[in-house]
Amino acid sequence: MAIANAQLFIGGEWVQSASGTYFDVINPATEQVIARVPDAGPDDMRRAIDAAHAAQASWADAPAADRAQILLRAAQQMRAQTEELAQLMTEEEGKPLNESRGEIAYAASFLEWFGEEAKRVYGEIIPASSANKRILVIKRPVGVSLAITPWNFPAAMITRKVGPALATGCPVIVKPSELTPLSALAIAKIFEDVGLPQGVLSVLTGTQPGPLVNVAMMDFSVRKISFTGSTQVGKLLMTQAAESMKRVSLELGGQAPFIVFEDADLDAAVSNAVVAKMRSVGESCVAANRIYVQRSVVAEFSRKLTAALAAMHMGNGLDPNVSVGPLIDSRAVAKVARHVADAQEKGARVLLGGERPEGLGYFYPPTVLANVDESMLITQEETFGPVAAILAFDTEEEVIARANNTRAGLAAYYFTRDVGRVIRLAEQLEYGILGANDGVPSTAQAPFGGIKESGLGREGSHYGMDEYLDIKYVSLGGI
Ligand code: NAD
């Protein structure tokens, strides 16, 4: 579907890039080229910014119910096209088809939730200090927005930004990852089909993100940037945004601890660890990167987790029996291999996996490492791969300190039956998202986001709407 539409979507039209050049999209399971997509450059970004400006006033002033309808229709259409969209996602990103279907449902849920929320951008009346005054608070769309997204969730990371932008009345330009441009273009097609006015959404695919994005970063009239990706690029964009004081939302890298206490339901901890570790083959910002297990249960937990991961099938995600797809590219495989080799050199034991298979495709098998400690790279960098690194701990106080000993602060998970401990850890773990006996906390109505170097701002929930709204107040005198 989107392959037939491999053009840029600018100002409501499907066009070639100004340079007329294209780039290849690779299927990571086969290393084959599956599509050629226009390589957008600065001139294309300028066109998109102009188109967004031309559309801005009428979109901001359209009745909220009309904006809501567009979003709800888009969600409906996305769900109706689940099979085609999931297949496309699996081909360009690699994740197993069932996970791609799940992501399409998740992506549509953001459009639906924000469509509903569009109707609830309420103001406020604050009591004034004198009898002849009133204070009125109103919220207005922040203006033209730029959304920059990663490859690991090629649809949901886009709808999580486009949903609130459109709901609040902001035109939005999407710059998806060059590794997964097809899902982004398919989303643009859906919005075209459901009647989004021209210019309100543009999608620019390109291999030179720096120069492409720079045009928007230098343009004062672009008032908002929402970025999901690496902490390194996030910091760069924040610096650039300072020049014109753009509103900034940053969803950056994680380093999630997954803590299992001896009083936990161990089977539940194992099955949740499988999902928290293996979703998207571990290529997720909320992936469990350090699995801390209390010493008295570490052997049993390790045995059960190893058995669960050994039962997974690796291969091309289009095969319905496959539950472990390829990584995104050869660099990703090399990083995972480097982390495993470093851990082995420093004394970790491989309980499962650890060997790259021969042949085509960027595969790395589910791997379990025991005897891991914090001297190893795998506990310090985001691994972004299917490696479960198990660390033993003794006390609650100790594990909290070890879990917090990182600059990242996105997601943390913990498993315990002690209610007091559930509360204590919720307060003391320095993370924005906490899964207490839950390995899958993300959902459209919850405020997703990190603290410390994992970013700024929230996506999803009514907090996610606020990221696209300016607050103004009117002091009414002479009453
Ligand atoms: P990345 O930072 O390399 O790329 C993200 C996006 O930024 C891509 O669209 C890329 O083209 C663009 N980009 C790269 N360099 C740029 C530059 N100089 N100027 C402007 N744009 C630039 O990240 P990635 O490898 O695509 O994604 C993986 C990272 O994203 C991981 O660190 C992961 O944790 C993070 N992530 C975070 C969340 C979250 O919600 N916190 C969600 C998913 C992924």
Side-chain angles (χ1 to χ4, degrees), residues 147-153 157 160-161 175-179 206-214 217 227-234 236-237 240 250-254 283-286 328 331 382 384 410 433 448-450 454-455 459:
I148 306 172
T149 56
W151 48 266
N152 60 343
F153 292 93
M157 295 304 100
R160 210 159 76 164
K161 299 181 190 306
K175 208 302 286 168
S177 168
E178 53 276 31
L179 299 173
T207 55
Q208 301 296 319
L212 184 58
V213 165
N214 213 25
M217 296 307 288
F227 171 78
T228 298
S230 60
T231 302
Q232 184 194 4
V233 175
L236 177 75
L237 292 171
Q240 292 176 349
L250 300 171
E251 296 283 353
L252 310 177
E283 294 174 316
S284 156
C285 53
V286 293
I328 190 69
R331 276 193 317 164
E382 241 182 338
F384 247 51
L410 189 58
I433 302 161
F448 189 104
S454 286
E459 290 191 319

Side-chain angles (χ1 to χ4, degrees), residues 231-247:
T231 302
Q232 184 194 4
V233 175
K235 286 182 180 180
L236 177 75
L237 292 171
M238 189 170 173
T239 310
Q240 292 176 349
E243 180 61 31
S244 54
M245 209 53 78
K246 297 186 199 313
R247 289 277 293 276

Side-chain angles (χ1 to χ4, degrees), residues 14 41 55 103 134 136 138 165 284 286 301 345 398 448 479:
W14 294 97
E103 183 178 337
R134 301 290 183 273
L136 185 68
I138 59 172
S284 156
V286 293
F301 178 88
E345 273 165 33
E398 169 206 337
F448 189 104
I479 292 168

Side-chain angles (χ1 to χ4, degrees), residues 374-430:
E374 281 89 348
S375 70
M376 302 171 189
L377 267 184
I378 198 158
T379 65
Q380 293 156 18
E381 296 176 2
E382 241 182 338
T383 303
F384 247 51
V387 185
I390 300 178
L391 302 88
F393 73 92
D394 292 299
T395 68
E396 178 182 315
E397 196 184 14
E398 169 206 337
V399 79
I400 291 171
R402 289 171 71 184
N404 285 343
N405 189 18
T406 165
R407 287 182 164 211
L410 189 58
Y413 309 87
Y414 53 99
F415 285 73
T416 175
R417 287 188 170 111
D418 178 334
V419 177
R421 181 179 273 154
V422 168
I423 301 293
R424 287 194 298 278
L425 266 77
E427 291 172 354
Q428 289 171 25
L429 287 174
E430 296 164 354

